[in-house]
Amino acid sequence: MAAAARINCSSLHNTLGFLNPLHYSLNSKANHLRTVRHFRRNIPSSFSHRAVFCSSAASNSTPLEPNEVVSDPFVLTTPLYYVNAPPHMGSAYTTIAADAIARFQLDIAYDKFIRTTDPKHEYIVKEFYSRVLANGDIYRADYEGLYCINCEEYKDEKELLENNCCPTHLKPCVARKEDNYFFALSKYQKRLEEILTSDMVKPSFRLNEVQTWIKSGLRDFSISRASVDWGIPVPNDSKQTIYVWFDALLGYISALSEDTEKPTLQTSVSLGWPATLHLIGKDILRFHAVYWPAMLMSAGLDLPKMVFGHGFLTKDGMKMGKSLGNTIEPNELVSKFGSDAVRYFFLREVEFGSDGDYSEERFINIVNAHLANTIGNLLNRTLGLLKKNCQSTLVTDSSTAAEGTKFKDAVEKLVEKARVNYENLSLSSACEAVLEIGNAGNSYMDERAPWSLFKQGGAAAEDAAKDLVIILETMRIIAIALSPISPGLCWRIYAQLGFSKNQFDAATWSETKWGGLKKGQVMGQPKPVFARIENLTEGENGVELPKKGAKRKEKSPKAQQAVEA
């Protein structure tokens, strides 16, 4: 793989803090890079029906205790990212979402790095090809049609725009005639109509798109190219090369293989296939929801449990493009605003599955209101009152403090609401539920007015001290519930509540249960956990100046980023 591809991958990966998608994929023709993760245990009930986890798949996994039950694996993949251009916000967006979903599932760790130019990937592809050939689903023929170079597929003329432009890439398709090998996709028309349900393709409007394609009639597609000097040769025909999708999609399976000299398709499948969830952009939905299932059926392999197609991002209501000069560069965005803000905005403000829009003004308003004000300020003022009146020490357990209050019940309902939304991949709604917890905490604080109760002394002051414990327990729960979305921010909250990094890293969703704070626990010193972002405007000589009425940041974004790291 080219060095530039490696640099782009690590830059995107490190800047945005992507720690946990199981297959982190980069694709440049035959060159792919994947980061493979395996994890187990504590899988939510909605993902309970899986193949049994093979412990040999994760060399770094924790040894099982006696009589410990091993849950089935949760296998998550990101799309095939092209590396012939710098990382962009579209690929970053999917990977942020994958990371959030993986963090919600727990027990994830790096296992290995692979690329699909590795010999073991070639073994898997050739064996898969031979299976499909033996099933009678590969034949050789001449084909002539209009071909989209960017999509890497032939197009029906009825799909094209004016001047034979591809509707996705808005570039003219080229006439091409080739002698290639083809996959008999049309043979699987009826079976695909039967199996593609709302359980397999989501959101529902993506399923509708797929069903429309299938009902309009499936055409066989080319799976090889002649006289191409890169890629995997067709078995028994060195003049033909297996092309793109019949190679790239097999990376989902070869990524599971162990570091043996010559892995087999079956051993790779036994280590984690079928995938629980393929996350993809809507532009490659056809390949993952039509081509891929048919290929797998032909080879006698199980289908992925779910294919989730998300939308595209726009900027200020306009489609992004280099020619328009309005692309969003993720590294610059993170450098300017910090990874917590970037992760939160795109997962909170873009309904996962639909198209979404970015504008800097909206970005700043949202993250300031939600992260700096609702969450950050609630923690800061509560810790300030605790320091002033209780020497930063909790006077009672949080479970005792909340006895007889309806507030605890309200928080528990919102936590459950967040959990359900995470499981359903409704990431925006999960964020909203956690924000509701913060709003409830602020309302409770304002209604109880502990600063006034402390002034009264006696029993009123004792009640005020309990109120602070209740609010801080609420902040602890928020830190766990929001950690899949903004892990850096949530760690800073957890640290101010007197916990160690190891305790934060080991926390699971079960830690959202009320009662985590104990009497005598010493809280950290109050300081902002999220620096309010200044709304800037460009002044003379390109120097950015604060807009009228804007407040000064307490830290620069770079300083904040350093804290997160």
Side-chain angles (χ1 to χ4, degrees):
M1 166 167 287
R6 289 187 180 277
I7 291 170
N8 286 342
C9 171
S10 61
S11 176
L12 182 66
H13 197 273
N14 293 336
T15 302
L16 292 169
F18 302 147
L19 299 178
N20 300 317
L22 186 140
H23 294 167
Y24 181 57
S25 316
L26 288 169
N27 171 21
S28 177
K29 303 291 186 183
N31 293 326
H32 316 306
L33 174 66
R34 295 180 186 275
T35 301
V36 182
R37 331 282 179 92
H38 298 282
F39 48 99
R40 66 187 183 187
R41 294 177 295 175
N42 299 319
I43 305 301
S45 58
S46 61
F47 296 120
S48 60
H49 302 294
R50 303 284 175 261
V52 176
F53 180 84
C54 178
S55 60
S56 63
S59 59
N60 296 330
S61 59
T62 306
L64 295 178
E65 299 295 333
N67 302 319
E68 182 178 358
V69 176
V70 179
S71 296
D72 303 324
F74 185 96
V75 181
L76 169 66
T77 73
T78 58
L80 306 168
Y81 300 138
Y82 285 93
V83 294
N84 51 5
H88 57 82
M89 199 59 224
S91 54
Y93 171 66
T94 319
T95 310
I96 293 171
D99 184 58
I101 294 165
R103 287 175 188 270
F104 173 70
Q105 298 290 340
L106 317 166
D107 288 346
I108 309 98
Y110 284 100
D111 290 322
K112 55 190 173 183
F113 293 89
I114 73 155
R115 55 185 180 182
T116 53
T117 51
D118 289 348
K120 66 178 183 178
H121 175 72
E122 184 172 339
Y123 292 134
I124 298 298
V125 171
K126 286 185 174 180
E127 185 180 348
F128 185 90
Y129 183 98
S130 298
R131 277 200 189 192
V132 177
L133 179 66
N135 199 41
D137 291 340
I138 293 177
Y139 62 93
R140 188 167 186 167
D142 288 331
Y143 188 83
E144 184 173 5
L146 293 171
Y147 185 83
C148 174
I149 296 174
N150 295 85
C151 286
E152 293 164 337
E153 71 165 345
Y154 286 94
K155 296 288 188 180
D156 289 328
E157 290 190 33
K158 61 186 178 182
E159 297 178 358
L160 303 178
L161 305 176
E162 189 177 351
N163 298 322
N164 291 329
C165 283
C166 168
T168 300
H169 296 99
L170 304 180
K171 293 181 180 179
C173 296
V174 297
R176 179 177 284 183
K177 182 178 180 179
E178 293 184 331
D179 171 23
N180 300 137
Y181 289 96
F182 285 78
F183 174 68
L185 178 65
S186 58
K187 174 180 173 180
Y188 292 89
Q189 171 104 23
K190 183 172 178 60
R191 290 180 67 184
L192 285 170
E193 288 178 354
E194 293 172 349
I195 66 164
L196 290 179
T197 66
S198 57
D199 290 331
M200 184 173 176
V201 180
K202 289 187 177 181
S204 59
F205 51 86
R206 300 283 178 231
L207 174 62
N208 293 338
E209 293 176 29
V210 173
Q211 290 174 332
T212 299
W213 291 333
I214 295 173
K215 289 177 182 177
S216 66
L218 295 177
R219 298 196 309 168
D220 300 347
F221 65 91
S222 174
I223 61 171
S224 75
R225 291 292 179 270
S227 303
V228 175
D229 59 3
W230 52 261
I232 299 173
V234 171
N236 304 318
D237 190 345
S238 60
K239 294 182 179 179
Q240 294 271 340
T241 300
I242 298 174
Y243 196 61
V244 182
W245 294 106
F246 218 81
D247 170 357
L249 289 167
L250 266 296
Y252 290 134
I253 293 177
S254 67
L256 297 167
S257 61
E258 294 183 302
D259 296 325
T260 57
E261 185 175 337
K262 191 173 181 180
T264 66
L265 186 60
Q266 191 56 48
T267 56
S268 298
V269 164
S270 70
L271 296 175
W273 190 260
T276 310
L277 173 63
H278 284 321
L279 290 181
I280 60 167
K282 64 180 181 181
D283 55 329
I284 53 174
L285 180 62
R286 186 196 305 261
F287 306 108
H288 285 77
V290 181
Y291 290 17
W292 184 221
M295 290 164 54
L296 290 166
M297 285 190 285
S298 177
L301 299 178
D302 290 335
L303 308 189
K305 300 298 182 182
M306 186 188 300
V307 175
F308 190 99
H310 68 75
F312 290 160
L313 299 177
T314 57
K315 184 179 181 183
D316 299 316
M318 297 176 61
K319 180 180 175 65
M320 289 186 286
K322 291 183 180 179
S323 60
L324 297 175
N326 68 339
T327 57
I328 304 174
E329 208 289 309
N331 292 314
E332 291 179 2
L333 203 61
V334 170
S335 177
K336 188 173 183 179
F337 298 120
S339 63
D340 284 315
V342 173
R343 292 171 64 101
Y344 182 83
F345 176 82
F346 284 101
L347 297 183
R348 167 62 178 81
E349 288 303 297
V350 180
E351 183 179 352
F352 197 46
S354 302
D355 293 345
D357 185 66
Y358 167 86
S359 74
E360 184 167 298
E361 182 177 7
R362 183 158 156 258
F363 178 99
I364 292 172
N365 289 340
I366 289 293
V367 298
N368 278 345
H370 296 186
L371 303 185
N373 294 353
T374 299
I375 293 175
N377 188 51
L378 177 60
L379 175 64
N380 198 57
R381 62 176 177 154
T382 306
L383 287 177
L385 284 170
L386 190 75
K387 179 182 179 181
K388 180 179 179 181
N389 298 281
C390 305
Q391 293 75 52
S392 297
T393 304
L394 303 186
V395 299
T396 185
D397 294 349
S398 55
S399 56
T400 303
E403 288 178 356
T405 69
K406 295 181 179 180
F407 179 77
K408 172 176 169 288
D409 296 335
V411 170
E412 288 176 336
K413 288 180 181 178
L414 290 171
V415 168
E416 176 61 12
K417 182 179 178 182
R419 185 192 65 79
V420 170
N421 283 316
Y422 275 124
E423 286 194 2
N424 292 333
L425 306 183
S426 300
L427 302 180
S428 177
S429 297
C431 291
E432 179 61 29
V434 178
L435 188 69
E436 287 183 55
I437 298 175
N439 288 330
N442 278 290
S443 295
Y444 183 86
M445 176 75 94
D446 293 338
E447 290 170 5
R448 295 290 298 169
W451 50 89
S452 297
L453 296 177
F454 277 122
K455 291 178 181 178
Q456 295 176 30
E462 292 177 4
D463 289 341
K466 291 180 181 178
D467 289 335
L468 298 187
V469 175
I470 290 173
I471 295 299
L472 293 173
E473 175 69 2
T474 302
M475 292 306 309
R476 187 194 65 80
I477 291 171
I478 288 174
I480 300 299
L482 195 63
S483 61
I485 308 297
S486 295
L489 167 65
C490 293
W491 153 235
R492 294 193 296 276
I493 293 172
Y494 225 59
Q496 288 199 23
L497 296 176
F499 295 100
S500 69
K501 187 64 164 60
N502 287 339
Q503 287 174 305
F504 177 73
D505 291 340
T508 65
W509 187 261
S510 62
E511 303 295 325
T512 57
K513 183 179 180 181
W514 190 279
L517 294 181
K518 304 302 180 183
K519 179 180 179 180
Q521 190 164 334
V522 179
M523 302 289 100
Q525 295 301 301
K527 60 180 180 180
V529 289
F530 186 87
R532 182 177 174 82
I533 298 174
E534 234 179 283
N535 198 358
L536 301 174
T537 185
E538 192 171 287
E540 294 182 7
N541 302 318
V543 177
E544 288 188 331
L545 302 172
K547 285 186 178 179
K548 187 177 181 180
K551 295 183 179 179
R552 276 284 171 193
K553 285 182 286 188
E554 296 167 45
K555 307 178 188 176
S556 68
K558 289 187 178 180
Q560 179 177 314
Q561 187 180 9
V563 172
E564 292 169 3

